[in-house]
Amino acid sequence: MDEDNNLLHFLDDTPTAHYRKTCDEYSSQIDGDDHSDTSDADPSNARDRLETLLNQPANKFCADCGTPDPKWAALPFGAFICIKCSGTHRSLGVHISKVISVNLDEWTDEEVNCLANSGGNATVNTKYEAFLPENYKKPRQDFSTEDRAVFIRKKYELQQFMTNPQFACPLHKHGAEKRHNNQQHGGSKHGTFRNSWRKKDSENKGVKKMMDVGMIEFVGLIKVDIIRGTDLAVRDVMSSDPYVMIMLGHQSMKTKVIKNTLNPIWNERLMLSIPDPVPPLKVQVFDKDTFTSDDRMGEAEVDIQPLISAAREYQNSMVTEPAICTFLASENSILVKDSVISIVDGKVEQEIALRLQNVEHGEIEIKLECVPLSQ
């Protein structure tokens, strides 16, 4: 009975379960007895509380590598991290670690509550590094991206440092007993070999994919404002339910679905890390279907390298003019109208109207902003 309870406790403490449980706690706080109206919450109050948490001694250094002045947070763990470690956290997926910028994102009271309830970096490391081996080299700020990826995955996703390695995991014990019973009852040797080979091959592919993602160096962030679509293609009887997906390397994000329209207005901001080397930004539009796979409604690719170069030049005070570069539209290009990289209120931005490809017709308007790594 105790063994079964241990197994249930193990399964209940996975990152996905922890994330779900934390979100449920947020909901219970909102729906509690006080019935307070969160719609009237003061954003400045959340910002003030965030700054107070950030000024705590342990939170002035990255929880994973010790880099001073971290400007990112990993939820639901409640850890303040640096931008290099944030790239690895993003690669784990939002079901494990949701990365939020201290300066670039608007914080809600619930998100600040998550940080406050976690106890900050000191408490997070006490929990997730409780049994960190004495001879284990925890990453420092000069460590490679690969070393960071290995440590962060072990710390948060696999949670290898939370339990004493001297105690065997119940799952391992059950697996060992099952293999022993199969051998006792004369199971097919060929079948056992074939299944174990496939399992090992699948595990190796998963590890390789994680390592490939973790080894990527990031040079900054790109904020993508999905503004509107115009004259999109019909994919249902008379209209469509469009949404936009953007992809940059291994990363992808999508907007909400706008029901029953060919001229949707999203006004939604998405944010991705910029890997090095820099791939094109892929923009795809889909029609949301309930019972079948989503229909394609066109796509486009954007070269963001000029925007990154402009941001670096502006950062190095090499640019003083408000308009840095202009791309001219033509009948054969994907640009509906001329696109300008410009400086607006100290931000390097580019507004782009794209003519969707591989579709009957349709246009989409987006705005890009590049934030270099040092910012």
Side-chain angles (χ1 to χ4, degrees), residues 226 228-235 242-245 262 264 266 282-287 296-302 331-336 352-366:
I226 309 296
R228 65 172 61 88
T230 304
D231 191 27
L232 300 182
V234 175
R235 287 295 179 265
Y243 68 90
V244 178
M245 175 177 288
L262 301 178
W266 286 284
K282 296 182 179 180
V283 181
Q284 296 180 323
V285 184
F286 292 91
D287 167 57
R296 292 181 177 272
M297 299 177 65
E299 59 193 17
E301 287 192 359
V302 180
E331 293 183 359
N332 298 325
S333 72
I334 65 171
L335 293 178
V336 177
I352 310 175
L354 296 168
R355 185 178 292 110
L356 295 173
Q357 307 296 296
N358 302 319
V359 69
E360 305 93 300
H361 49 76
E363 302 172 1
I364 185 169
E365 294 182 31
I366 64 175

Side-chain angles (χ1 to χ4, degrees), residues 63-82:
D64 297 332
C65 73
T67 297
D69 197 26
K71 294 300 183 183
W72 299 84
L75 304 181
F77 306 106
F80 286 100
I81 55 177
C82 68

Side-chain angles (χ1 to χ4, degrees), residues 2-22:
D2 292 339
E3 185 175 342
D4 292 338
N5 290 336
N6 290 336
L7 178 59
L8 291 173
H9 175 73
F10 177 84
L11 294 175
D12 189 53
D13 204 27
T14 61
T16 303
H18 178 49
Y19 190 93
R20 189 184 303 112
K21 182 171 63 176
T22 306

Side-chain angles (χ1 to χ4, degrees), residues 46-65:
R47 173 63 58 179
D48 292 341
R49 294 173 58 208
L50 180 63
E51 291 296 333
T52 300
L53 293 172
L54 194 59
N55 288 328
Q56 293 179 3
N59 297 339
K60 293 183 178 181
F61 300 89
C62 174
D64 297 332
C65 73

Side-chain angles (χ1 to χ4, degrees), residues 62-214:
C62 174
D64 297 332
C65 73
T67 297
D69 197 26
K71 294 300 183 183
W72 299 84
L75 304 181
F77 306 106
F80 286 100
I81 55 177
C82 68
I83 190 169
K84 288 187 176 181
C85 290
S86 74
T88 299
H89 275 265
R90 286 177 186 274
S91 69
L92 297 178
V94 294
H95 62 291
I96 295 176
S97 183
K98 179 182 178 182
V99 179
I100 305 179
S101 170
V102 172
N103 294 328
L104 302 178
D105 289 317
E106 293 293 334
W107 283 72
T108 64
D109 285 331
E110 290 73 34
E111 290 167 342
V112 177
N113 287 342
C114 175
L115 287 176
N117 294 337
S118 73
N121 286 359
T123 303
V124 169
N125 285 346
T126 298
K127 177 180 179 180
Y128 290 96
E129 299 179 10
F131 294 95
L132 186 70
E134 293 183 2
N135 58 347
Y136 192 97
K137 290 186 177 180
K138 182 178 177 178
R140 298 188 300 270
Q141 54 183 309
D142 58 343
F143 270 41
S144 67
T145 304
E146 180 181 1
D147 291 332
R148 293 173 193 266
V150 171
F151 173 75
I152 289 173
R153 182 167 183 254
K154 288 182 177 180
K155 178 178 177 180
Y156 296 102
E157 182 180 10
L158 303 179
Q159 298 184 354
Q160 290 186 359
F161 310 132
M162 287 184 63
T163 56
N164 194 325
Q166 294 180 354
F167 297 99
C169 170
L171 289 181
H172 295 166
K173 185 174 181 180
H174 280 285
E177 290 177 351
K178 185 175 181 180
R179 288 192 298 272
H180 177 72
N181 290 335
N182 287 339
Q183 293 173 1
Q184 287 275 343
H185 294 290
S188 170
K189 293 183 179 180
H190 294 288
T192 302
F193 174 79
R194 186 161 53 247
N195 291 337
S196 62
W197 176 270
R198 288 174 181 171
K199 181 179 179 182
K200 183 176 181 180
D201 184 61
S202 175
E203 290 176 349
N204 288 340
K205 288 181 179 179
V207 172
K208 184 178 185 302
K209 182 177 180 181
M210 175 58 68
M211 290 302 299
D212 288 343
V213 173

